[in-house]
Amino acid sequence: IQYQKGTRNLYVEDDTSEAEITVDTETGTILLEANPNEDAIQEIRLYQNGKLVGNNTRNLFVEDDVNQDPNRKELQISLIPGLNEFSAVAINSQGTESVPKKLNVNYMPSQQSLIKPQGIQAHILVIGIDEYQNPKYNLNYAVADATGFQNSLQEGLINITSKTHVYFIKNKEAIRENIVMKLNEIAAVANPQDIFIFYYAGHGVVLPGNKQEFYLVPSDVTQLYGDDGAIQQKGISASELKKIASGIVAQKQLYLLDACQSAGALTTLARGAAEEKAIAQLARSTGTHWLTASGSQQFATEFDELGHGVFTYALLEALSGKADSGDQRVTVNELKAYLESRVPEISEKYKGSPQYPSSFGFGQDFPVSVQK
């Protein structure tokens, strides 16, 4: 692992497992090289303060250079003032991770490069789909869920951030092209100290096959099962969600998926378990937080009595302050704890059987609501 400022290497990895340097500029380059030891390198990952670092091209969906040396990687990085903890791992052909190599970079801004005046900003992308092009997939409360979440979150963030940017996409506008465009807009303006929150209420599906990859299903998908090509073309896959998480430099990220599944998704336990595994792998590999409405083979239930899906109803309760442990703020980990206990209670009361949400988190905990 090497840290490069301009064309000058400030640190070259030796036999130590951890080293520390101090710099006075916000940007730099980290060079990584892995030794396959007679195997093959499948992937090299770099984490900054626990969160996966992407290619920093400000375009989340550009194709990686397939001709690049798999044993080497060069990444442009932006630092936050103070300590930046970098950790690099290599993954071999069996999917086994190496022991991490660590490098601490202290960023002490000079008078000419003080932290940008905008402070911490929040970037929120909210998607709600009640109306699908094929009406048999229509939902009742996805847009109400998305609207309620947006309003509650904005109110809670007032005392945390200097500015909140909200992008809301619903129904027929919720197609891949529009979602990708908004994500690229966020990637272009987000800073490392910022917060990024992604909320999706609509259908989700796991395609069968060797990969069993999970997809978010935009409104123009007309068949959830039996036409995998259309979902691959129009949907947003778990691997693309990984690109999103790594490509947006905001180090505090939360993803909430209130993804209702049709009956076809419940035909086998393996299909439901594949979705849960895919989300768990996303959280771990990207160093971000993921909260999902239901576990292995359950519906993400909607109720007329509540006017919301169960997951989002409990989420709105949590953001209102009910998840607060006593310090007048609600953090991501407090959200998780509240949802894990409250969602089964509500679903059992109204449905007769409990629904269990899933949560996976490997990034920094951070507040999402501060009470007045």
Side-chain angles (χ1 to χ4, degrees):
I1 181 170
Q2 302 176 23
Y3 187 88
Q4 197 173 73
K5 177 184 175 183
T7 58
R8 183 166 61 97
N9 283 349
L10 297 182
Y11 171 75
V12 179
E13 168 67 21
D14 53 22
D15 291 334
T16 63
S17 61
E18 188 167 341
E20 187 161 322
I21 60 172
T22 299
V23 300
D24 61 2
T25 54
E26 183 184 11
T27 58
T29 302
I30 287 189
L31 309 173
L32 305 170
E33 182 175 354
N35 180 354
N37 288 327
E38 300 182 356
D39 196 335
I41 301 297
Q42 184 182 87
E43 185 180 1
I44 298 174
R45 296 177 187 160
L46 177 70
Y47 295 88
Q48 179 180 6
N49 299 327
K51 187 254 174 191
L52 184 66
V53 177
N55 59 23
N56 203 24
T57 63
R58 303 297 195 180
N59 186 341
L60 300 178
F61 294 88
V62 295
E63 291 300 319
D64 296 328
D65 183 3
V66 295
N67 297 316
Q68 66 185 355
D69 185 344
N71 300 338
R72 298 172 184 267
K73 198 165 191 175
E74 178 177 319
L75 290 162
Q76 308 300 315
I77 53 96
S78 296
L79 302 169
I80 58 172
L83 179 63
N84 294 260
E85 297 178 315
F86 289 96
S87 177
V89 296
I91 294 91
N92 69 8
S93 63
Q94 283 81 45
T96 304
E97 288 186 11
S98 68
V99 174
K101 289 289 186 180
K102 297 181 179 181
L103 172 62
N104 291 338
V105 180
N106 281 303
Y107 170 37
M108 309 297 289
S110 64
Q111 290 300 314
Q112 292 77 28
S113 60
L114 290 173
I115 185 170
K116 297 171 183 175
Q118 67 264 33
I120 297 173
Q121 300 187 55
H123 309 270
I124 306 167
L125 178 56
V126 178
I127 302 165
I129 310 173
D130 281 337
E131 299 171 7
Y132 277 83
Q133 193 168 316
N134 183 340
K136 76 176 182 180
Y137 297 132
N138 284 356
L139 298 167
N140 296 318
Y141 301 113
V143 172
D145 285 347
T147 303
F149 173 75
Q150 176 200 320
N151 293 337
S152 183
L153 185 65
Q154 276 187 271
E155 185 176 343
L157 287 171
I158 287 173
N159 297 317
I160 300 174
T161 61
S162 61
K163 192 171 184 180
T164 298
H165 308 270
V166 179
Y167 306 80
F168 192 101
I169 307 174
K170 68 179 181 179
N171 293 333
K172 67 179 181 181
E173 300 301 320
I175 59 174
R176 176 185 169 85
E177 180 183 4
N178 291 338
I179 295 169
V180 168
M181 180 177 67
K182 294 302 182 187
L183 288 165
N184 281 326
E185 284 181 26
I186 293 168
V189 298
N191 294 304
Q193 68 268 24
D194 290 349
I195 295 169
F196 172 61
I197 297 176
F198 178 95
Y199 175 94
Y200 173 86
H203 284 296
V205 66
V206 175
L207 295 186
N210 293 333
K211 287 189 175 181
Q212 290 196 321
E213 191 160 27
F214 174 72
Y215 282 80
L216 300 181
V217 182
S219 61
D220 59 343
V221 172
T222 57
Q223 189 173 338
L224 291 186
Y225 301 100
D227 188 0
D228 295 355
I231 290 179
Q232 289 169 340
Q233 180 183 3
K234 296 179 178 180
I236 295 177
S237 68
S239 60
E240 288 177 317
L241 290 171
K242 180 180 175 181
K243 279 190 176 183
I244 291 164
S246 62
I248 293 175
V249 299
Q251 288 182 13
K252 299 177 178 69
Q253 297 193 14
L254 171 63
Y255 296 78
L256 302 110
L257 305 182
D258 198 346
C260 305
Q261 297 188 347
S262 75
L266 309 181
T267 53
T268 65
L269 176 62
R271 185 173 290 171
E275 176 189 332
E276 202 164 286
K277 180 181 177 183
I279 301 300
Q281 288 174 336
L282 270 173
R284 187 174 189 278
S285 66
T286 57
T288 53
H289 296 275
W290 294 74
L291 303 178
T292 64
S294 57
S296 295
Q297 56 171 165
Q298 299 173 329
F299 284 104
T301 312
E302 300 183 307
F303 292 120
D304 289 335
E305 297 98 315
L306 301 177
H308 287 287
V310 171
F311 177 81
T312 297
Y313 185 84
L315 181 62
L316 296 180
E317 286 187 340
L319 290 171
S320 74
K322 291 188 176 180
D324 174 27
S325 60
D327 59 359
Q328 302 301 304
R329 65 179 196 160
V330 176
T331 69
V332 172
N333 285 337
E334 286 174 331
L335 271 187
K336 290 179 186 176
Y338 187 85
L339 292 173
E340 284 170 4
S341 63
R342 185 65 173 136
V343 169
E345 286 178 3
I346 301 171
S347 55
E348 187 165 28
K349 176 181 178 180
Y350 287 93
K351 182 184 173 188
S353 60
Q355 170 186 324
Y356 294 96
S358 299
S359 62
F360 309 95
F362 292 87
Q364 308 172 66
D365 191 20
F366 60 92
V368 290
S369 178
V370 170
Q371 307 306 306
K372 295 179 181 178

